[in-house]
Amino acid sequence: MYTQAMDTMAREAKGQVQAVKSAEEQARETAFEARIDAGEFIEAKDWMPDHYRKTLVRQISQHAHSEIVGMLPEGNWVTRAPTLKRKAILLAKVQDEGGHGLYLYAAAETLGVSRDELLDALHSGRAKYSSIFNYPTLNWADMGVIGWLVDGAAIMNQVPLCRCSYGPYARAMVRVCKEESFHQRQGFDALNVMMTQGTPAQRDMVQDAVNRWWWPSLMMFGPPDAESTHSTQSMRWGIKRISNDDLRQKFIDATVEQAQVLGVTLPDPLLKWNEARQSYDHGPIDWSEFWNVVNGHGPCNRERLADRVKAWDDGAWVREAALAHERKKQLRAKAA
Ligand code: FAQ
């Protein structure tokens, strides 16, 4: 009996069973569902079910963490960019990713959670961020491939989020997608230059980078639909509009032709056009690798987290100075 009660509480917390609701709560929830069905945006001050709020905080904060951890693999190459032009582009891109993190933390804060709480979850290793950023960036072509494939996958996933039912997240995504589109193009352009004007060694570098990033890019879309814990409910609520597998397929279909234009080979011998499906078939994805990385055992998980924590600690004086400045301004305003 006791065990059963505990079990129910745990499942309630996960939103798998519904607690007994009052008539008033039921009416509010029915009205909320009707707004979702009508395609209305839900705004910060509107009533929303607790599980909807939690789902958004989880997804938006993981997304924000991904943006700021995602600055690290590319940040490594700012000092080693081959020309001033490439360095300026890379700097701008890395700064954009930091900005995306800020819009997303701000969107999460509208749901009643503090930025400090979210960052604490990241820095203590409790929060997830995208698996892709736990792979190393070994050569300059990795910068191009991150733009082309990683930003390409991010756009594919994020364009539908511009229609997410939660207004502040959807609006943040509109701007993020515009910037990601520039990121994708600069990556493709950098690779195109290496492939068309580069030496054989530079072309080999591009192919090597494509070989290493292709499969992890496909994993960015999350586990297969059948194993996706949150998809059914998130799609019901209009948080996610297209499933993990469908987005992955759209990305593959768009990317194969771009690879042909670049003159690189995608490292999947089973990649083949399927006339009946009007899509590319592809080889099996190694989901054990995905879960290994998600659970903290990828090639760079420790390094990324340590770098993030160091950046946070090193920046303490900036936060303190900003707060001291604000306090001074308020005192001056009071005195005037
Ligand atoms: N990595 O039930 P689902 C970027 C977790 S931004 C790690 O399918 P959901 C920009 C998932 O959290 C890239 N964990 O989950 C850039 C859940 O765990 P939980 C980030 C993953 O939420 C470019 C569990 O597996 N983009 O790249 C991953 O419905 C270049 C079960 O999964 C976003 O965050 C993964 N790949 O669908 C920056 C977009 N996939 O929470 C710098 C917004 C799944 O129960 C340089 N997010 N998990 O402990 C989304 O669209 C969704 O959250 C998905 C996952 C599709 C990622």
Side-chain angles (χ1 to χ4, degrees), residues 58-59 62-63 66-67 70-71 74 93 97 128-133 146 150-151 154 157-158 161 169 180 219-223 228-231 234 240 244 290-291 294:
R58 181 188 62 78
Q59 178 167 325
Q62 286 176 1
H63 193 166
S66 305
E67 299 282 357
M71 297 167 77
E74 287 174 294
K93 178 183 190 303
E97 309 299 2
K128 287 193 169 74
Y129 58 84
S130 183
S131 49
I132 192 78
F133 302 117
I146 289 183
V150 176
D151 284 279
N157 165 268
Q158 288 169 20
L161 291 175
Y169 189 26
E180 298 290 23
M219 294 173 193
M220 286 175 71
F221 296 94
S228 165
T229 339
H230 305 290
S231 279
S234 289
K240 284 167 86 163
N244 298 0
F290 170 77
W291 289 116
V294 171

